[in-house]
Amino acid sequence: MIDVLSGVALITDPGTIIWIMFGVCFGIILGAIPGLTATMGIALMLPVAIQLTTATGMAMLLAVYSGAIIGASIPAILLGIPGNPNAIATVYDGYPLTQQGRGAEALIAATVGSFVGGIGSLLLLGLFAPLIARFTLRFGPAERAALALVGLTIIASVSERRVAKGLLMGAFGLSLAFLGPDRITQTMRLPFPSITTGTPLANGIQLVPALIGLFGISQALYDIDRVRSGRLTPPQVSLRGSIPKPRIFLKMWRLMVESLGIGTFIGAIPGAGASIAVFLSYQRAQRTAPANAASDAPELGSGALEGVVAPEVANNACKGGSLIPALSLGIPGDAATAVLLGALLIKGVVPGPQLFVDELPLVYAILFALLLANIFMVVFQVVGIRFFPKVLSIPIYILLPLILVFSLLGSYAVEGRAIMAASFNMGVALILGVVGYFLKKHDYPIAPIVLGLILGDMLEQNFRRAMRLARGDYTVFLRSPIALAFILLAIASIAYSVRRARRAKAAAGEDDEE
Amino acid sequence: MRKVFVVLIIMFVVPAMVYAAGPPETEWPDPDETITVVVPFGAGGGTDLIFRELVEEMNNHTEAEIIVDNIGGAGSATGTNEVLSLPADGYTVLASGAHTVTATLQGLTEGYRELEGIIGLNWDPFIVAVHRDSPWESFDELLADAADDPEALSFGNAGMGGATGVLTVGMNLHFDGVFNVTPFDGGADLIANFLGQHVDIGVFSQTEVAEHMNDMRPLMIVHPERSTIPELSDVPTYEDAGYSDLDVPFGSYRSLSVRAGTPADRKEALADIATQAFESERFQDYMRRQGLLPEYSRLGELDEYFQELEDLFYPILEAADLLDD
Amino acid sequence: MPLVWLAFSIAYLVFSLSIEERRMPGGDWDPGSTALPVATAVVMIACSLYLTLKEYLTNREREKAAAPGDRRAAAPQTKPRRGAPAHSRSETAADPRATLRLSMLTVAVLAIYVAGFRQLGFVLTTSALLFTLTYYYQLGDVRLRAVHVLLRHGGLGVLATMVVFYLGVTALRWSRYFGRIWEVEILRNRAFTAFLGVLLWAAVLLPVFLYVKRRYLDGVPREAEQAQERGPSEINERGVVYRAAAWRALMIAVPTTLLLYLVFQQLFRVALPLGVLA
């Protein structure tokens, strides 16, 4: 108990609280600009954090982290641009809501989801960190390859009835992921190697520019025919009178708990990443929503609040999850926590099991800072929600060029200190933007491309690594209980999707393509 | 209409002309400019932390502001290529080293052929370790078991292109390929897999081992001298362990370089600033605490040292089929 | 569309077969560097073949079903099913040809932006892009007759942005210089000097904008709106609308470019290339 109190005392001075508020604000602004990621924000603030005391510095960095994740949901919901990988799945229902004039409602849902995810994962982190961390260590190459396989089965559920098209798009995403170096043997996989060697393509296609292109730029191109009507979306309903009732969110408790578990757990597996978690939780939302919603509730993908809440719970839970191996094992769960660990190391604090023994007050200070950051995050969001949708009342002839410029500059900013690589990323975003535009026109699902791109590297590397460690024995995937469970889950998931597609087809008596 | 244009042009262009001259430049580095040290790895990693420490000290020895930029990717090739694409004016410095040599030999960048040395800093010797729960107490025992069933024991590194990759391949060559060398996706990934016992043997930096002393059993340090970190001081050197003929790179080597063609006086100025920082009590103390072994060289000496490194690395990379062909 | 994908898949197969196949030295257990790309290519070919066949069959069925003579019904139906917004698109009364022209212009301008970004620099390309798009989006169509206004005002806008930008940057250099020789720390502070720069920009731009607004924009919008109401083809000949649109575009492009520079470069330390300004 004394540790808890001394931990709280470490960060309850006014200076620290102001730093946390500043961090959340900075993070929200940063996250709201497409292309600027949490990792970048933390790295940016690293020199400042080093000047502060360890607890204050960590509190500020965590605040930036929290702010950046909720910030990313704003452009995802209002403009349909997921500025960073955390917000990919938020787009599917967030943007349709905005198109129905319910942007503010979606933002509220995102805030609720974020808060639940943030606080929930915080509790899990505080109570079970060493336990979860030890369990995630059982994830070796075979288990991770199987997890990637589960991730790929999401293709079926995000492509709805267009299974063949979805599969094609997923493979297209994989094909993009395989460009660049093969990270096992360092073989360069470049088309026209005489031209492309030594260019930024040698580092492969980066996820964030691809996201911005496929979602942001393609949507903007798609919206050009609205230029004459003068408006991008219908007028947004003002918040007053349209605040979703708490009951609606209480009804989603199961979904929230599931997303929380998915987020925290995936976040805790080093190298898995929030983007898988948000898709998995979205898939859960898809499957549980019809059961607990009224029959006239909108289908997932056409503006259901569940579709916003689930991924937002998951991506915030990931944030807490990724701190689990970081603090208890000293292994960063993702790039952002790697920088956080760096900050600790610079201050002479060695993360790992000893941290929970030697530096317990600091651990509690970190947990408490995260709690404060989550609270400020909600406060700022609630204030901001009145103003954010105002962006949409800008005349379209100004807004559309702005979206395009922000999309390109955002893809540039991902590697914004490297001018060559950054300019190349703008090209990637533009080309995929045009591709995405044609795909939209021809009714091809876009999400599978992103899934392929995210999972390609994870699947290939871990599959090959597992094969090598097992000396060519394929049964390694069946001998590991975790891997086996995942493979069965993948099969079940495909079977479910196929059945659902058949039913939907039968029910509609289809005139549709697939 | 025309009048407006004339007025506008006068309003804008004339003051611009007045200002265009800018403040007079007297010395180099210009105290109002920023010198960027490009670290070709992500923020928070081992290399990054060392250079951040050095840069902080360098700032005490010049009026110009010096900052660290992380440009990771493709081993260290992305950051190196960025430095090579910027003007050779001395305002951009690369955190170079053994990684630069491996990236260059692999053909990922023109690398050190287009770089010139400022100063050489230190070696960070690697440690070969097994899990605490494993049966091997010494490298001899490990090697004996490995020889019994060749390639049954996996030897993990943090990626084939990097320094740990070169070391593992080099050692495996030396011991007639008894190990199953398996690359992982960076240091953190290797540690996670090692702690989960998915890989039998790993090669780590000293700080990594010191952090995980509960789970790691260091078998030997690949360097002629013992570690200066107290917890690791009883880890045998490869000579103590009885493998004095093991001829592989010690670990990771770090230095500062600029793009070739940078004026000599600017290189001198940079070398002076960096040397003062290197020799400062604070940085020397930092190196001792981190177990980093000083290996100072200056300007031309560093260029020669890079040549030696290439000669050392070439045969190993060739054997690993990693050379650019 | 399926045919395009078929072509792409085959090209990808050729590419993945051309990759050097390398395995880790030692045992031959690694599936190798080409295994997964080839597998992916095969899946892509299978899917696109299926889709091609399906489209062909659907078309033939439609052709059969359609009354002879009414051939239009046989056209492949590729209407977007989803992604169509909740509110109707028909209200926009969009002229598909104008939309196509605008889209092509947009893609072309963006491509030039990306290609020229590094050499020409952030300030020049961004102000030109913002100006061009805002200008033509206001007109609602790409008209060759409007080009001379675009070039004149756009040129002015880009020039103005660059000069104002340069002014700000040089002023900051002086500020830091004096801050150093007079030993006034605040003059060297990054945030403070950035603030000074904004003030300077505002001081230069505001009067000009107020003047432009009074001289060229007040009174024009009514005329412009009437022209728009009469329909896109009736955009007025005297160029008043063009000029108003151009001035408006200019008033957006110049400060936005400067603001973007502040946000990305000063706040988030993104290294934006200066290009010709360097």
Side-chain angles (χ1 to χ4, degrees), chain A residues 26 30 33 36 40 44 99-100 160-162 164-165 167-169 171-172 174-175 178-179 182 184-187 189-191 221-229 234 301 397-398 400-402 404-406 408-409 412-413 416-417 419-420 423 426-427 430 439 441-444 460 463-464 467-468 471-472 512-514, chain C residues 1-2 5 8 12 15 19-20 22-25 27 29-33 36-37 40 43-44 47 50-51 54 62 77-78 80-83 85-87 89 92 94 98-99 102-103 106-107 110-111 113-114 117-118 122 126 129-130 133-134 137-138 140-141 232 248 252 256 260 263-264 267-273:
Chain A
F26 181 82
L30 176 123
I33 299 176
L36 304 189
M40 183 184 160
L44 219 61
Q99 287 176 322
Q100 295 159 21
E160 290 157 49
R161 280 163 284 176
R162 301 162 288 177
K165 283 178 174 177
L167 203 55
L168 176 62
M169 291 299 101
F172 175 55
L174 285 175
S175 73
F178 293 148
L179 291 180
D182 149 24
I184 299 282
T185 59
Q186 300 291 324
T187 311
R189 298 194 286 210
L190 295 174
L221 292 176
Y222 201 74
D223 284 335
I224 284 179
D225 68 349
R226 302 255 184 87
V227 158
R228 287 160 175 247
S229 76
Y397 64 83
I398 301 175
L400 217 48
L402 277 182
L404 288 167
V405 164
F406 261 105
L408 287 182
L409 284 179
Y412 181 90
R417 301 304 302 173
I419 294 178
M420 265 198 321
S423 312
M426 285 207 293
L430 179 58
L439 292 177
K441 281 252 157 187
H442 292 268
D443 192 29
Y444 281 76
E460 187 192 23
F463 171 64
R464 292 173 57 188
M467 289 303 292
R468 182 148 178 94
R471 291 203 277 173
D512 209 90
E513 294 278 303
E514 292 301 310
Chain C
M1 199 69 176
W5 281 108
F8 175 83
Y12 190 78
F15 158 66
I19 303 169
E20 180 193 359
R22 276 210 291 209
R23 293 187 164 89
M24 288 284 301
W29 315 304
D30 173 16
S33 51
L36 276 110
T40 308
V43 172
M44 279 205 290
C47 287
Y50 170 79
L51 287 172
K54 187 155 183 176
R62 283 220 181 95
Q77 285 221 333
T78 44
R81 183 169 53 83
R82 262 228 296 137
H87 66 292
R89 251 164 209 276
T92 60
T99 304
L102 275 179
S103 306
T106 308
V107 173
L110 291 180
Y113 180 79
V114 172
F117 193 71
R118 241 180 92 202
F122 162 80
T126 307
L129 171 86
L130 281 172
L133 292 186
T134 320
Y137 285 177
Q138 284 179 79
D141 196 354
R248 220 176 275 130
I252 287 156
T256 308
L260 284 173
V263 170
F264 280 94
L267 191 56
F268 296 120
R269 292 205 84 122
V270 173
L272 296 169

Side-chain angles (χ1 to χ4, degrees), chain A residues 202-277:
Chain A
N203 205 18
I205 303 273
Q206 304 298 307
L207 176 61
V208 177
L211 273 185
I212 292 178
L214 285 171
F215 288 97
I217 295 179
S218 73
Q219 185 66 42
L221 292 176
Y222 201 74
D223 284 335
I224 284 179
D225 68 349
R226 302 255 184 87
V227 158
R228 287 160 175 247
S229 76
R231 223 184 259 120
L232 194 60
T233 58
Q236 296 295 306
V237 180
S238 83
L239 248 192
R240 207 167 304 161
S242 76
I243 300 178
K245 293 190 183 66
R247 200 159 44 87
I248 297 181
F249 296 114
L250 287 178
K251 262 198 200 155
M252 296 181 206
W253 69 271
R254 235 191 88 191
L255 180 62
M256 286 187 185
V257 171
E258 284 178 353
S259 304
L260 176 67
I262 292 173
T264 312
F265 193 72
I266 301 271
I269 300 173
S275 29
I276 303 178

Side-chain angles (χ1 to χ4, degrees), chain B residues 204-315:
Chain B
F204 304 99
S205 74
Q206 298 169 81
T207 41
E208 285 168 342
V209 177
E211 273 170 42
H212 295 99
M213 275 307 264
N214 290 336
D215 298 295
M216 289 183 182
R217 179 183 295 147
L219 294 184
M220 71 177 186
I221 182 165
V222 195
H223 196 268
E225 290 161 53
R226 294 206 170 199
S227 176
T228 55
I229 299 180
E231 297 101 303
L232 301 174
S233 55
D234 55 349
V235 178
T237 68
Y238 68 93
E239 285 168 352
D240 295 345
Y243 303 97
S244 44
D245 53 344
L246 188 63
D247 190 23
V248 290
F250 304 135
S252 30
Y253 171 73
R254 277 117 184 180
S255 56
L256 288 175
S257 298
V258 289
R259 189 179 159 187
T262 305
D265 55 327
R266 296 191 178 186
K267 280 173 29 182
E268 285 283 348
L270 279 173
D272 287 343
I273 297 168
T275 304
Q276 284 169 15
F278 176 81
E279 286 169 353
S280 68
E281 193 49 48
R282 177 183 155 171
F283 191 71
Q284 290 289 328
D285 184 51
Y286 173 79
M287 287 200 294
R288 259 193 304 281
R289 272 186 288 122
Q290 302 290 316
L292 303 170
L293 302 160
E295 181 77 57
Y296 180 79
S297 56
R298 191 189 158 101
L299 300 172
E301 295 161 22
L302 177 58
D303 295 332
E304 282 165 32
Y305 197 68
F306 264 83
Q307 197 56 52
E308 285 174 38
L309 288 179
E310 180 181 343
D311 297 341
L312 181 63
F313 283 20
Y314 191 90

Side-chain angles (χ1 to χ4, degrees), chain B residues 5-253:
Chain B
F5 273 85
V6 175
V7 171
L8 284 176
I9 285 170
I10 291 174
M11 272 187 67
F12 289 144
V13 175
V14 171
M17 289 298 182
V18 178
Y19 276 102
E25 218 176 288
T26 46
E27 53 195 311
W28 199 93
D30 183 345
D32 300 326
E33 285 288 337
T34 304
I35 298 175
T36 309
V37 175
V38 173
V39 173
F41 299 100
T47 307
D48 178 53
L49 297 184
I50 293 172
F51 280 101
R52 279 183 192 267
E53 193 75 22
L54 181 76
V55 163
E56 195 154 325
E57 189 57 38
M58 278 169 80
N59 269 313
N60 296 335
H61 300 283
T62 174
E63 271 207 72
E65 183 194 20
I66 307 184
I67 58 163
V68 171
D69 258 352
N70 299 93
I71 303 181
S76 64
T78 304
T80 309
N81 282 330
E82 287 300 331
V83 171
L84 295 183
S85 76
L86 292 169
D89 56 7
Y91 283 112
T92 313
V93 182
L94 176 72
S96 56
H99 49 264
T100 319
V101 178
T102 51
T104 311
L105 287 175
Q106 287 177 63
L108 303 174
T109 163
E110 280 305 306
Y112 64 84
R113 299 191 184 109
E114 289 293 324
L115 291 168
E116 286 168 359
I118 298 297
I119 67 166
L121 296 169
N122 51 45
W123 276 99
D124 187 359
F126 289 138
I127 288 183
V128 177
V130 292
H131 201 276
R132 284 268 173 215
D133 296 344
S134 73
W136 307 290
E137 295 285 344
S138 71
F139 196 76
D140 282 333
E141 292 175 32
L142 180 71
L143 197 61
D145 273 5
D148 276 350
D149 185 4
E151 300 193 310
L153 296 184
S154 50
F155 195 175
N157 62 51
M160 284 303 275
T164 56
V166 175
L167 178 74
T168 48
V169 171
M171 281 182 70
N172 203 29
L173 270 182
H174 184 84
F175 297 115
D176 305 320
V178 292
F179 298 112
N180 178 358
V181 172
T182 304
F184 287 82
D185 191 19
D189 187 43
L190 173 61
I191 295 179
N193 277 288
F194 180 87
L195 296 186
Q197 292 184 273
H198 303 286
V199 59
D200 301 307
I201 317 155
V203 50
F204 304 99
S205 74
Q206 298 169 81
T207 41
E208 285 168 342
V209 177
E211 273 170 42
H212 295 99
M213 275 307 264
N214 290 336
D215 298 295
M216 289 183 182
R217 179 183 295 147
L219 294 184
M220 71 177 186
I221 182 165
V222 195
H223 196 268
E225 290 161 53
R226 294 206 170 199
S227 176
T228 55
I229 299 180
E231 297 101 303
L232 301 174
S233 55
D234 55 349
V235 178
T237 68
Y238 68 93
E239 285 168 352
D240 295 345
Y243 303 97
S244 44
D245 53 344
L246 188 63
D247 190 23
V248 290
F250 304 135
S252 30
Y253 171 73

